[in-house]
Amino acid sequence: MANIDKIGLAFDDVLIVPGKSSVLPKDVDVKTKFSRHIPLNIPILSAAMDTVTESDMAIAMAREGGIGVIHKNMSIERQAEEVERVKRYESGIVQNPITLSLHSTIGEAKKYMEKYNISGLPVVKNKKIVGILTKRDILFEENDNKKVEKVMTKKVITAPERTDIDEALEILKKHRIEKLPIVDDKGHLKGLITIKDITKRKLYPNSIKDELGRLRVSGAIGVSGDAMDRAKALVSVGVDCLVIDTAHAHTKKVMDFLKKARDKFNTVDIIVGNIVTKDAVKDLVDLGVDGVKVGIGPGSICTTRVISGAGVPQLTAIMDCAEIARKSGIPLIADGGIKYSGDITKALAGGADAVMLGALLAGTEETPGETQFLEGRRFKVYRGMGSIDAMEAGSKDRYFQEDKLVPEGVVSRVPFRGPVSEVIYQLVGGVRSGMGYAGTPNISALRNAKFIRITRQGLRESHPHDITIIKEPPNYDITR
Ligand code: XMP
């Protein structure tokens, strides 16, 4: 007979007890970790879901100081391209700039410019730079078959290796140019510095970047079929972290795959999820994971718990797993079930290092999918990766399913929310406020805060009550 040994708590079952405080919300430190080797400036990640994270979202998240996990409901080639788009988007020095040859056509150049959102391409012959082609050069060119050689700028201003960003800026200013190819003493192209990247650096000082100055990005992989090829392809384009994304990671199949992946890829971090028990953390730590992801069934679009009868309320799952994760020195991501910013503060106080968000980021400009109109309001689709629609598009292996599908998620509609940066601002603002109430200057101190269990009446009292809201604030959704 199954036995019961404890009560599981959800975020709504508790509040953080305000403590004596000498910290102001604006001064608290919300820096944290995503995985063993990847620090974050805010404790927020975007979910590996096909209505949440592709390259646009991942770029926006990394600029805000968090990170995006690009979903895998697409071909290996396309997912690698999405990762590459992020890695090329903003960098101090582009290490492997996309180049043209003298025989390339204007049509090819236009294709690259559009695909990678870039405005200029160096032209090389035998690795040596012989010209540069910018959007300006082809502005009035209508013949796509014309050779690049005919229209490129031949006199190229270059700089030697080890030119730093400030020196580069001076050269760009002096010559009134936008791109500065970096060359070695043989004239071989070694990199490219652009004014666009320098400007973006200033606009997003909180960005999360790798050692080459490129935005960081993570990619989801599964454990079946061609999962290892997918991992290899993502690693080859510079993904910072692989997230083995399954509905139940404390399984032989996932752990066997992890063992193999760990042996193969020692230059990237590997996070594994999802799990909800201490034993699961122990087993994954023994296999060398760089982070764990916690949550079975708390997600807004999940039906796992009601369909299968299995799961653990999210706050208890976080607190249990955190005990072992902390001792093992690996970060813990709380995945799913975050309804308001206050839940993020509770997840962090309960031991999470960061939270993964689906619903709260769904509907923003940067999510994949079109906006729809209904009764004059804009909406976007947000669907569970265990919904029939998403599983048919590729995610059935997340739920270890093959033929006739038993869904564990639903398809929903969420209001259009504008740019994700606005949403993140409100969410981080809420966390800062919570840390101010708790009197804790940083996330590690927040873990010493006290929870109080509350009743249904306490929860009712916590929300606006006995009034009619006539103006919707930006951080409280009255439809939720
Ligand atoms: P939120 O609450 O932020 O949750 O919308 C997002 C997380 O939910 C998980 N997920 C699912 N879980 N069925 C499930 O049981 C599903 O169809 C499903 N789709 C996503 C996932 O961990 C995600 O990050």
Side-chain angles (χ1 to χ4, degrees), residues 187 265 300 352:
F265 308 111
S300 58

Side-chain angles (χ1 to χ4, degrees), residues 55-122:
S55 52
D56 285 350
M57 175 62 83
I59 289 166
M61 289 303 297
R63 280 171 164 188
E64 295 299 320
I67 196 164
V69 185
I70 293 185
H71 74 88
K72 63 176 179 61
N73 258 11
M74 52 180 124
S75 69
I76 293 179
E77 296 70 33
R78 190 162 156 237
Q79 195 187 12
E81 271 177 24
E82 291 292 309
V83 168
E84 200 177 4
R85 243 190 116 226
V86 184
K87 296 309 288 183
R88 284 193 186 277
Y89 187 74
E90 178 186 344
S91 43
I93 298 177
V94 186
Q95 295 291 320
N96 291 305
I98 293 162
T99 57
L100 299 169
S101 78
L102 289 168
H103 308 296
S104 308
T105 61
I106 291 180
E108 283 168 56
K110 282 183 182 165
K111 235 191 270 162
Y112 286 134
M113 286 177 180
E114 193 177 326
K115 182 169 171 190
Y116 295 106
N117 188 25
I118 49 181
S119 61
L121 298 156

Side-chain angles (χ1 to χ4, degrees), residues 47 49 274 293 297-304 335-338 356-359 382 384-387 398-399 408-409:
M49 298 173 72
N274 280 8
K293 193 151 69 71
S300 58
I301 33 50
C302 304
T303 54
T304 291
D335 177 15
I338 303 281
M356 175 172 265
L357 303 180
Y382 174 50
M385 294 300 273
S387 65
R398 184 176 199 266
Y399 298 87
E408 292 186 23

Side-chain angles (χ1 to χ4, degrees), residues 129-159:
I129 181 143
V130 290
I132 189 158
L133 186 83
T134 66
K135 272 193 178 158
R136 246 187 295 170
D137 297 324
I138 54 173
L139 196 59
F140 301 108
E141 282 298 340
E142 276 163 14
N143 179 4
D144 278 0
N145 294 324
K146 200 170 188 177
K147 295 275 184 278
V148 156
E149 187 177 9
K150 298 261 165 34
V151 284
M152 69 184 194
T153 304
K154 293 195 175 111
K155 193 168 165 280
V156 189
I157 310 288
T158 60

